[in-house]
Amino acid sequence: MTQEQFETLLSQHGNEIFGFCCHITGSRNTAEDLYQDAVFKAFELLGRIDGSSKNGLKQARNYVIGIAVKLNRNLMRKRSLNDSFFVSDGELLLGNAMDDSDIAHETERKSVHKDLRTIVGNLPERLRNVVYMYYYAEMSVADIAQQLDIPQGTVKSRLSKARKEIKKKMEGLYHE
């Protein structure tokens, strides 16, 4: 990948990569540091990134996300943080005026979304990372496996375990 292609990558996918960093760290400040470290590391490894193929920028984006996951894992090990570290960084702002029924519906949706984020955030790191990579970063199972250096079957297994755990906890919250 050339420096120009790398700049294009950051201009087109930088916000997605940063958003992913926010999700896995749970903190905007930590995400900023992680994003910078991941981009710097990716720049150091520029020669290893293939930006010439048909899906070159998407593959490069996935490569940087993989770097962010690995850097975050190392950071968490160094800080000896437990798996329950997760803080939500606020909610989406509503752009249009709404009537009372819309407000009630939106409030309920936000509550469910917040509960879901908390449950996902409290998953063990190995499950949480594949959930974020699959659902937030919209990476394929093959891409996740490649970036985490694990078999595709392991990715599928972790996604399945995470889904079961999320479903169980959501049912516990809303069916009591």
Side-chain angles (χ1 to χ4, degrees):
M1 174 172 267
T2 66
Q3 188 171 347
E4 184 178 310
Q5 289 172 321
F6 190 73
E7 290 171 6
T8 302
L9 166 70
L10 293 181
S11 68
Q12 290 184 8
H13 296 287
N15 287 338
E16 292 174 48
I17 296 167
F18 178 72
F20 182 82
C21 290
C22 287
H23 277 286
I24 66 171
T25 64
S27 163
R28 186 170 182 84
N29 290 334
T30 306
E32 289 171 353
D33 292 339
L34 179 61
Y35 175 77
Q36 286 180 337
D37 291 345
V39 168
F40 181 73
K41 184 69 171 175
F43 188 76
E44 286 179 342
L45 302 171
L46 207 54
R48 293 187 188 177
I49 303 172
D50 179 21
S52 62
S53 67
K54 180 181 176 184
N55 295 323
L57 285 181
K58 186 170 182 177
Q59 290 174 345
R61 176 199 74 142
N62 293 347
Y63 189 79
V64 177
I65 286 173
I67 290 171
V69 168
K70 291 170 189 165
L71 289 173
N72 187 57
R73 184 182 311 136
N74 292 341
L75 179 65
M76 289 185 68
R77 283 184 188 143
K78 287 179 185 175
R79 292 184 180 175
S80 299
L81 295 176
N82 63 30
D83 286 335
S84 65
F85 174 73
F86 187 81
V87 179
S88 176
D89 268 358
E91 295 292 328
L92 297 173
L93 296 175
L94 303 176
N96 301 327
M98 293 186 257
D99 64 25
D100 288 343
S101 65
D102 288 341
I103 291 172
H105 181 274
E106 186 63 21
T107 301
E108 181 179 339
R109 188 193 66 76
K110 281 184 178 183
S111 175
V112 170
H113 181 73
K114 181 180 177 192
D115 291 339
L116 180 60
R117 283 187 59 140
T118 300
I119 289 169
V120 171
N122 287 328
L123 289 172
E125 179 185 5
R126 63 188 179 78
L127 300 179
R128 184 175 59 235
N129 285 340
V130 295
V131 167
Y132 285 146
M133 293 172 92
Y134 187 79
Y135 289 104
Y136 180 76
E138 298 177 356
M139 293 172 67
S140 69
V141 169
D143 288 339
I144 295 169
Q146 180 181 5
Q147 295 308 317
L148 296 179
D149 297 323
I150 58 176
Q152 289 185 31
T154 302
V155 173
K156 291 176 185 177
S157 173
R158 289 180 184 180
L159 281 170
S160 176
K161 287 177 187 174
R163 287 180 190 123
K164 287 177 186 173
E165 187 69 24
I166 292 166
K167 180 180 178 184
K168 183 174 87 175
K169 293 197 178 191
M170 289 296 282
E171 286 176 347
L173 284 174
Y174 292 99
H175 291 103
E176 291 181 343

